Amino acid sequence: MAAASNHIVRLLILCLLIALSGVLLTRADLPRFAHPSKDDGSLSLLVLGDWGRNGDYNQSEVALQMGIIGEKLEVDFVISTGDNFYDRGLKGTEDPAFEESFSKVYTAPSLQTEWYSVLGNHDYRGDVEAQLSPILKKLDNRWICLRSFIVDTEIVEFFFVDTTPFVDKYFNDPEDEIYDWKAILPRRNYLSNLLKELDSALKDSNAKWKIVVGHHTLKSAGSHGDTQELLHQLLPILEENKVDFYLNGHDHCLQHISSTNSPVQYFTSGGGSKAWRGDINWMDPKELKFYYDGQGFMSLQITHSQANFTFFDIFGNILHQWTSTKPLLHSAI
């Protein structure tokens, strides 16, 4: 009997190990990049969205001021919130738009650092795989673009999320546009896996600050308004995992929203080129801290205890500043 019992135990253990190995093999973690902060532990960066128009619509003027501010702040990298190439992404890896809208526009010495980029809905109207291709990094080694990924700077973790596949209308009513969904279908599986991977990564994070980056708005007073699909599917994960800030583009404006029913702060930096739409939706003044219907960009300076956000226009004027603080040490429970 004892021998039989031992044999059964060994079989159960073997089955458990096989099951666990299957889980480990099938788990797909988000790609991760390590980007060191400065020697003093601080970090400086610029955030830009909705920009790629061959230098037109004041894109070049925004780029000029980014270079000036970038030098003053000694920026460590740049974040692009998507819609990197208008109107329909890139046609391929040899599309001249990559150089005409990126390499030849952002030429300042301070901007010759990593550009961590997500895709926007206009990028999905072109050849998505071209924009994700390592060939582009060989053409310009600043370019880092994936669907979803993490940038770990120790004090801050940035979680970049592919938001375009969440939006129903691109599938149900694309009008005359054709979207490149090759790697997205079946859509339900793609979104389910992405949300699980994001939730797991946020839960595993020990960073002092957690920042999520996507193209689409969660909350906005701009022309696109709130993205309902993200409010229902993404925001609960951000709130549960105590994410500090959500950065986005999509609306061609600059704005800061402090919601009365969520601890997350929302920052839109979508003024990289074409803007001045002349429309703003009403929002409770207690929530809408700042709105600018024009071109510009945002900077973020962050330490263990403080995060400073600043919005700039195309002349380098400061439009809005906001600071969040945290204790240097976590309180003992």
Side-chain angles (χ1 to χ4, degrees), residues 42-267:
S42 67
L43 191 74
S44 299
L45 59 125
L46 301 179
V47 183
L48 176 75
D50 304 83
W51 43 270
R53 297 183 186 271
N54 299 315
D56 297 334
Y57 295 98
N58 286 335
Q59 183 191 358
S60 295
E61 284 73 13
V62 173
L64 175 64
Q65 292 302 325
M66 287 177 64
I68 295 171
I69 301 301
E71 183 176 356
K72 291 179 180 178
L73 301 183
E74 298 181 349
V75 294
D76 297 285
F77 55 85
V78 178
I79 286 176
S80 170
T81 59
D83 276 1
N84 307 313
F85 302 99
Y86 284 95
D87 275 328
R88 295 178 176 87
L90 294 178
K91 297 176 182 177
T93 55
E94 297 181 356
D95 191 333
F98 180 72
E99 291 192 350
E100 296 298 328
S101 289
F102 177 59
S103 299
K104 293 182 179 180
V105 175
Y106 304 101
T107 56
S110 66
L111 304 181
Q112 306 309 303
T113 185
E114 287 85 351
W115 282 57
Y116 296 109
S117 307
V118 290
L119 298 167
N121 52 298
H122 283 270
D123 300 311
Y124 265 99
R125 296 175 185 176
D127 183 348
V128 171
E129 292 301 324
Q131 202 166 149
L132 304 176
S133 173
I135 293 175
L136 295 188
K137 188 167 178 58
K138 292 180 180 179
L139 296 175
D140 192 320
N141 64 9
R142 296 177 291 173
W143 186 252
I144 300 173
C145 183
L146 290 82
R147 295 181 194 271
S148 299
F149 60 101
I150 299 169
V151 175
D152 183 357
T153 70
E154 295 185 1
I155 61 169
V156 192
E157 278 193 329
F158 296 87
F159 301 84
F160 292 74
V161 179
D162 185 19
T163 60
T164 301
F166 284 90
V167 181
D168 291 336
K169 69 178 181 181
Y170 301 142
F171 294 85
N172 302 333
D173 186 22
E175 298 178 340
D176 296 327
E177 299 296 344
I178 298 175
Y179 291 84
D180 183 1
W181 300 131
K182 288 192 294 290
I184 303 303
L185 305 176
R187 179 188 176 204
R188 180 177 296 180
N189 291 351
Y190 179 82
L191 296 179
S192 175
N193 290 335
L194 172 54
L195 290 172
K196 288 177 183 176
E197 292 164 10
L198 175 64
D199 183 53
S200 176
L202 286 168
K203 283 181 167 55
D204 290 343
S205 175
N206 293 316
K208 189 69 175 288
W209 303 89
K210 297 178 186 180
I211 301 176
V212 172
V213 181
H215 175 65
H216 289 79
T217 61
L218 271 168
K219 292 180 176 290
S220 174
S223 60
H224 290 110
D226 299 353
T227 305
Q228 295 301 321
E229 296 90 341
L230 295 182
L231 290 177
H232 295 147
Q233 299 178 66
L234 181 62
L235 183 57
I237 293 175
L238 272 55
E239 292 177 336
E240 179 183 344
N241 291 287
K242 295 180 172 56
V243 167
D244 298 288
F245 314 119
Y246 179 74
L247 316 182
N248 63 272
H250 197 45
D251 269 332
H252 296 186
C253 63
L254 307 174
Q255 67 179 329
H256 171 205
I257 294 172
S258 180
S259 176
T260 56
N261 56 13
S262 171
V264 181
Q265 299 281 329
Y266 307 92
F267 295 89

Side-chain angles (χ1 to χ4, degrees), residues 6-24:
N6 290 336
H7 180 65
I8 292 172
V9 170
R10 285 196 294 271
L11 284 175
L12 290 172
I13 292 174
L14 179 61
C15 290
L16 179 61
L17 290 173
I18 292 173
L20 286 174
S21 65
V23 170
L24 292 173

